[in-house]
Amino acid sequence: MTETLRIVPLGGLGEVGKNMMSIEYGRNILVVDAGIMFPESDMLGIDFILPDWGYLRDKSEHIRAIVITHGHEDHIGGLSHFLREFNVPAYATRLTRGLMEVKLKQARLLDRTSLHTYAPGDVINVGPFTIEPYHVCHSIPDAVGLGITTPAGLIVHSGDFKFDHTPVDGWPTDYAKLAEFSGRGVEVLLSDSTYADRPGTTASEAVLNDAFDQVMRQAPGRVIVATFASLISRIQQVVDVAAQRGRKIAITGRTMAENTKMARKLGYLDVPEGVLVTLDEIKRLPARETVIMATGTQGEPTAVLSRLAVGRHRSLRIHEGDTVVLSSHTIPGNEELIHRVINRLFQKGADVYYDPLAPVHVSGHASQEEQKLLINLLRPRCFVPIHGELRHLQQHGKTAQEMGIPAENIAVVENGYVLTVGERLEIGERVPGGYVFVDGTRVGEIGPAVMRERDALGQNGFVMSIVRYKRRTGQPVGRPRIITRGFIFVPGAEDLLTRAEEVTLSAASAKPKTPPAEIEKQVQGALSKFLYRETKSRPIVIPVVVEA
Ligand SMILES: [Zn+2]
Ligand SMILES: [Zn+2]
């Protein structure tokens, strides 16, 4: 590494989720955010996905700090994994830190990590970087963007942001600070692209109050509001409206309950005395005086809403007269799951409100006009669209070009491309920037090969063929046993299975002293070919050859 300024996106560019960025000057690294992403419906058995930070592994002693923009999962969800591997100081605002502590405690890491609180307006020096967090509006309080001054110039990282003039907490994005950055001259702007394909301006959070008020006024019974566990601003709005309408609230779901507790403790959630009650208490109140908040707006099978939809919640049942509000957007790829949950809720007699059918959700991300406003306020020399799928990044790049930033100073790249900021903005080599799958406690052991196998198992099932043989003669003994799951309905397929036995027998006869592994290979090859020829499907074939 020479004394140049480099920007290496490790997550969140080319996808929505698992945001992470490495900003480097000489041999000094500053990491921004460490998020997770939730799996798509075809990623079987995967709990969540971490950024691939393998690139940092041999540079750990150069990492000066990790700075966090806000408390959403796609920014802090991977933090405990990251800090377990790199024990570096972490900086966050008060609420974000509180939410991080919940995670670090669960991971038993809280005692051995060095957490620091910063606030908008602070100036923090780490290595050659001077970090200035500034307040931004988003769907969670205490979110910041970052001014990062390096010897090679000022970088502005927008975090996730919108320009809301009437935010829930009454604290708009810090225009003055942005103007001040502009006055100093901005070398590079890294800006949130999530909503880059939406023209106009994102609606203010204030519009939701009317929608919630209408729902709670008209609902004949309980109101169940589902949203993301970390959407603290949304929880505040539901609390406000419920209190006005004389309804009590219970919160279900462990993460949402813990986040609420932490946000209240730190003063970011204002709940009037007596409004928040337990689930047991709520069941004893008249239905029309109650609100239940839950998670599960993406159709996640283990979340509260899905369990309610299929009637598998341990203490709650959906019935006639319930009103369910899904206050969230649909993450692309989850549509099918969500629609299934909504249909089942209707089946059980509930009335369901969801976006875009009813105005029960607004985004926390800037639309095109707000993205233009940020570019105009900062007038950066170079521009890198971040946080979004490639189509969002492309569109944001186009917007920047329309605003007068020359094309050669705009880098539209996906994760892993090393950007060097010099005279020009150079796009260099590509380092890893893919997926690290987390399945239960296993991190990174599940690779693409295993995912393909799970996919094949899910689609075509498996066929296991067990055969005994004598090593001395190399010949099979007795009949093989064929076991199938998810491949074919066995009654009616006896003929096919008998022929599969024959195929196994002839593939299992080999020269004297042939090792079992060799015979397994032969059986697998022959059986796969046979099954494909007969059924045009490719089940996973598992040969088991045992010595008699
Ligand atoms: Zn966010
Ligand atoms: Zn985000």
Side-chain angles (χ1 to χ4, degrees):
M1 281 190 247
T2 48
E3 300 293 290
T4 52
L5 177 58
R6 311 202 316 162
I7 297 169
V8 189
L10 295 174
L13 275 70
E15 62 200 358
V16 172
K18 70 177 179 67
N19 299 294
M20 180 176 232
M21 179 78 74
S22 172
I23 293 173
E24 312 177 359
Y25 181 77
R27 291 168 75 83
N28 299 278
I29 297 175
L30 181 71
V31 178
V32 181
D33 290 337
I36 53 168
M37 186 159 95
F38 292 103
E40 285 167 29
S41 53
D42 59 351
M43 297 176 181
L44 299 165
I46 296 301
D47 298 328
F48 58 87
I49 305 162
L50 291 170
D52 183 348
W53 51 62
Y55 159 80
L56 294 173
R57 221 153 265 154
D58 61 350
K59 303 173 188 66
S60 57
E61 77 269 32
H62 305 311
I63 304 175
R64 299 290 164 250
I66 179 164
V67 285
I68 305 296
T69 58
H70 63 285
H72 281 159
E73 289 295 335
D74 56 326
H75 299 260
I76 65 167
L79 205 67
S80 45
H81 290 89
F82 180 84
L83 289 177
R84 183 173 284 138
E85 204 170 327
F86 307 97
N87 196 358
V88 299
Y91 290 83
T93 57
R94 265 180 79 230
L95 175 64
T96 309
R97 175 178 174 165
L99 299 173
M100 280 158 48
E101 283 178 359
V102 171
K103 289 181 183 308
L104 292 168
K105 205 166 172 184
Q106 282 167 10
R108 294 170 199 282
L109 280 175
L110 194 53
D111 307 334
R112 51 188 185 97
T113 47
S114 122
L115 300 185
H116 303 266
T117 305
Y118 61 24
D122 285 355
V123 180
I124 290 121
N125 292 301
V126 266
F129 307 104
T130 301
I131 302 152
E132 293 167 89
Y134 65 94
H135 180 74
V136 294
C137 287
H138 187 40
S139 43
I140 186 168
D142 232 8
V144 293
L146 302 164
I148 302 166
T149 304
T150 73
L154 170 61
I155 298 176
V156 176
H157 186 300
S158 75
D160 283 348
F161 79 101
K162 70 194 273 192
F163 285 107
D164 193 337
H165 303 297
T166 47
V168 174
D169 62 1
W171 191 2
T173 296
D174 192 347
Y175 297 90
K177 191 71 189 179
L178 292 169
E180 190 201 318
F181 286 149
S182 183
R184 287 191 234 159
V186 176
E187 192 60 13
V188 190
L189 168 61
L190 312 168
S191 182
D192 175 13
S193 313
T194 313
Y195 257 38
D197 57 2
R198 312 279 173 115
T201 308
T202 304
S204 168
E205 287 180 320
V207 306
L208 293 181
N209 286 341
D210 294 338
F212 285 142
D213 190 61
Q214 205 180 340
V215 170
M216 289 196 203
R217 214 175 46 223
Q218 290 171 353
R222 291 189 300 190
V223 176
I224 296 161
V225 182
T227 191
F228 294 106
S230 57
L231 234 53
I232 308 290
S233 313
R234 197 62 39 85
I235 299 173
Q236 179 72 63
Q237 286 178 296
V238 174
V239 165
D240 290 348
V241 177
Q244 277 163 21
R245 289 282 153 210
R247 287 176 185 258
K248 307 258 188 232
I249 302 181
I251 292 180
T252 66
R254 176 174 161 213
T255 315
M256 190 182 267
E258 273 173 7
N259 286 352
T260 303
K261 209 166 116 195
M262 182 57 79
R264 267 188 99 178
K265 193 175 110 190
L266 297 175
Y268 288 90
L269 195 58
D270 183 17
V271 186
E273 205 57 48
V275 168
L276 218 51
V277 296
T278 66
L279 211 50
D280 285 332
E281 287 171 299
I282 219 126
K283 285 198 281 192
R284 289 194 290 270
L285 289 167
R288 51 170 310 128
E289 289 171 22
T290 62
V291 174
I292 294 167
M293 290 217 68
T295 54
T297 55
Q298 300 306 309
E300 311 94 306
T302 55
V304 175
L305 199 63
S306 298
R307 283 190 274 139
L308 285 174
V310 294
R312 286 220 194 99
H313 192 275
R314 76 191 127 74
S315 59
L316 286 174
R317 294 279 170 277
I318 291 286
H319 38 69
E320 201 83 31
D322 284 343
T323 302
V324 181
V325 180
L326 275 81
S327 182
S328 66
H329 70 284
T330 301
I331 295 174
N334 294 341
E335 292 87 351
E336 236 178 280
L337 285 171
I338 298 167
H339 294 160
R340 200 178 307 157
V341 167
I342 292 175
N343 288 331
R344 286 193 171 137
L345 290 168
F346 274 123
Q347 261 171 16
K348 291 198 167 356
D351 198 4
V352 190
Y353 291 83
Y354 55 98
D355 184 56
L357 199 73
V360 286
H361 175 69
V362 297
S363 170
H365 297 279
S367 299
Q368 283 175 3
E369 292 306 311
E370 294 154 275
Q371 293 174 338
K372 289 180 192 168
L373 177 56
L374 185 65
I375 293 171
N376 257 341
L377 278 169
L378 291 173
R379 302 304 321 163
R381 190 174 71 86
C382 302
F383 181 74
V384 183
I386 61 170
H387 302 174
E389 293 175 20
L390 191 54
R391 63 197 171 102
H392 303 129
L393 306 179
Q394 283 287 2
Q395 181 53 51
H396 205 181
K398 257 185 230 164
T399 303
Q401 219 177 314
E402 282 165 20
M403 308 292 296
I405 299 178
E408 62 269 25
N409 288 359
I410 299 171
V412 175
V413 294
E414 294 184 275
N415 297 336
Y417 283 99
V418 176
L419 305 176
T420 307
V421 187
E423 216 46 13
R424 291 190 7 246
L425 183 58
E426 267 173 64
I427 303 174
E429 52 160 342
R430 191 172 196 186
V431 304
Y435 291 170
V436 172
F437 293 117
V438 179
D439 176 358
T441 56
R442 295 187 295 162
V443 180
E445 290 168 32
I446 315 288
V450 177
M451 288 312 295
R452 273 196 302 275
E453 270 183 19
R454 286 186 181 181
D455 195 39
L457 273 173
Q459 295 202 4
N460 302 317
F462 73 82
V463 174
M464 188 186 246
S465 178
I466 306 164
V467 61
R468 300 193 308 141
Y469 91 120
K470 270 214 166 67
R471 193 183 182 112
R472 191 169 44 77
T473 62
Q475 292 306 307
V477 180
R479 294 293 292 178
R481 238 184 107 206
I482 308 263
I483 298 166
T484 76
R485 287 290 182 276
F487 166 59
I488 205 156
F489 185 53
V490 176
E494 285 95 350
D495 175 53
L496 182 79
L497 296 182
T498 313
R499 280 155 66 212
E501 286 175 20
E502 297 302 330
V503 172
T504 304
L505 279 179
S506 69
S509 78
K511 282 205 243 44
K513 304 246 160 52
T514 308
E518 194 64 32
I519 293 183
E520 282 178 354
K521 226 196 257 162
Q522 288 182 33
V523 170
Q524 187 185 32
L527 210 49
S528 299
K529 222 188 264 165
F530 165 76
L531 292 170
Y532 182 70
R533 202 177 57 224
E534 294 295 317
T535 65
K536 289 287 170 285
S537 89
R538 295 188 192 281
I540 299 237
V541 173
I542 307 165
V544 180
V545 176
V546 284
E547 286 186 54

